Amino acid sequence: MSELNKDNDFYNFIIVGAGPAGLTASIVATRLGLSAICLEKGEITGPKPRGEGMAHVQVVDEILGRDFLPSVGSKSNGGRVWHSPGDQQTTITHRTYDHYFFEWREFIDRFEEIAHDLDVNIQLNCEVISPIEKDRLCMGVKYRDGNGNIKEVHGNCVLDCSGHSGIIGRHYNIAYDEEMNCPIIKCLISEANIDINVTPDLQFYFIGNGDLEYSKSFPQCVAYVFPLGNKKAEVGLMLRMAQARNMKTVKIPSDKEIMNVWNNLKSMYPGFK
Ligand SMILES: Cc1cc2nc3c(=O)[nH]c(=O)nc-3n(C[C@H](O)[C@H](O)[C@H](O)COP(=O)(O)OP(=O)(O)OC[C@H]3O[C@@H](n4cnc5c(N)ncnc54)[C@H](O)[C@@H]3O)c2cc1C
């Protein structure tokens, strides 16, 4: 693509979302000398913690450096330990490549530092609302800025990096996979009783339907622990909503019930405290 002159509201790339994908795209485009604007609805880049475990990926290594993950992450042997309900049986599966557990903020901050050094144009508090179309072609996007004003930006190409079920993708009826529709709650804890040096694997705890005293009708779910360094761990609870929908006897829990289960898990389950 040839570079067009950038003016205030025309860019080669309009990138929606400043998570890992949007930041990567913005950095790559800027490095290639193409003009790019990255619109993020949150107050900061990567506002919601998403990932804390990954292997080497070429494009990420090229941006952050191949040493980055080993420098901030705890190296795992790539194993996953699956604990049955009640922890009566455990199964371990292994990957054959290096895998690291890291802290989301450290990961995103490094992307942001690099973007900042390159003068990448990231606009925070800008929520993209819809594409702008002309003759059935997407020419740009409409967005709401931090003051509530509706603005437009035009460009050659719009990249939807707004995460699962993206705002632009939905407009064009992209069939997002319902199986992926699993709400995950998670938090970073300190003083974890799980030590990455002793237990370098991701731990999954299956919680069967009816296992939990305090929520009999709660559907099956998985609680997981990513051990980090310094007695810290990322812990989470994941529900397979698509499966719950097919389990006719299970009612889909309200947000309040999910939070109730989550709070109880945090205080009761092994590895969480
Ligand atoms: C809780 C959770 C845990 C996960 N853990 C892992 C993991 O350990 N390892 C792994 O590899 N993957 C994990 N994933 C998958 C993870 O989502 C991706 O790996 C990674 O975050 C994808 O990056 P992304 O930039 O595509 O999306 P996201 O990180 O979701 O970023 C999308 C960005 O777009 C912004 N946005 C959304 N809508 C708009 C809008 N209308 N206008 C402007 N901005 C908008 C959001 O605020 C966000 O900053 C996890 C996902 C979840 C939900």
Side-chain angles (χ1 to χ4, degrees):
M1 183 186 295
S2 64
E3 187 183 2
L4 297 181
N5 284 336
K6 181 173 82 173
D7 63 27
N8 279 342
D9 63 356
F10 194 97
Y11 295 85
N12 294 143
F13 285 97
I14 299 167
I15 295 160
V16 186
L23 290 169
T24 298
S26 310
I27 289 169
V28 170
T30 306
R31 276 187 178 163
L32 289 172
L34 298 161
S35 61
I37 184 169
C38 180
L39 301 168
E40 165 58 51
K41 72 175 177 183
E43 287 177 4
I44 52 173
T45 54
K48 288 194 181 161
R50 294 292 195 206
E52 60 294 276
M54 71 183 285
H56 286 288
V57 175
Q58 193 180 344
V59 67
V60 174
D61 283 349
E62 275 167 18
I63 292 175
L64 303 180
R66 196 167 164 86
D67 292 343
F68 178 74
L69 279 183
S71 73
V72 296
S74 313
K75 188 169 173 180
S76 147
N77 63 15
R80 291 175 169 222
V81 182
W82 310 87
H83 300 256
S84 72
D87 221 1
Q88 286 163 14
Q89 194 184 334
T90 55
T91 307
I92 302 180
T93 54
H94 280 285
R95 296 174 179 178
T96 51
Y97 45 85
D98 291 346
H99 196 259
Y100 299 89
F101 297 141
F102 53 84
E103 219 174 296
W104 170 260
R105 206 59 252 167
E106 241 175 320
F107 179 64
I108 292 293
D109 283 353
R110 184 67 189 128
F111 268 110
E112 191 171 337
E113 237 174 75
I114 290 166
H116 185 75
D117 288 349
L118 287 168
D119 236 353
V120 171
N121 186 357
I122 301 172
Q123 299 292 324
L124 300 172
N125 294 307
C126 290
E127 179 171 9
V128 171
I129 307 163
S130 65
I132 299 168
E133 289 171 327
K134 193 175 167 201
D135 300 329
R136 296 170 62 206
L137 286 177
C138 177
M139 314 295 287
V141 300
K142 274 191 186 162
Y143 66 96
R144 189 181 295 107
D145 74 8
N147 299 319
N149 299 318
I150 305 296
K151 294 195 169 164
E152 293 191 357
V153 58
H154 295 80
N156 299 108
C157 177
V158 175
L159 283 185
D160 187 355
C161 299
S162 58
H164 173 63
S165 191
I167 178 79
I168 304 294
R170 274 204 309 271
H171 180 90
Y172 291 106
N173 296 323
I174 300 291
Y176 290 104
D177 178 10
E178 291 235 327
E179 290 291 320
M180 290 292 291
N181 180 13
C182 50
I184 310 180
I185 307 170
K186 63 185 198 174
C187 67
L188 180 70
I189 57 171
S190 49
E191 297 306 316
N193 66 4
I194 191 161
D195 181 347
I196 179 81
N197 295 315
V198 180
T199 318
D201 300 316
L202 177 56
Q203 309 279 315
F204 285 96
Y205 295 86
F206 282 107
I207 301 169
N209 189 6
D211 268 6
L212 304 169
E213 268 172 31
Y214 41 85
S215 189
K216 290 284 183 213
S217 62
F218 204 73
Q220 287 173 344
C221 58
V222 177
Y224 60 85
V225 180
F226 286 86
L228 302 168
N230 299 329
K231 299 183 90 182
K232 286 196 284 190
E234 285 263 1
V235 298
L237 171 69
M238 181 161 67
L239 267 184
R240 305 295 295 188
M241 289 306 272
Q243 286 163 13
R245 252 181 243 125
N246 297 330
M247 294 156 66
K248 295 201 171 47
T249 53
V250 176
K251 92 173 168 26
I252 293 178
S254 64
D255 288 354
K256 201 172 156 213
E257 279 172 296
I258 294 175
M259 289 313 293
N260 179 31
V261 171
W262 172 235
N263 288 328
N264 276 296
L265 270 178
K266 278 199 295 184
S267 62
M268 289 171 59
Y269 223 74
F272 274 52
K273 213 175 151 192

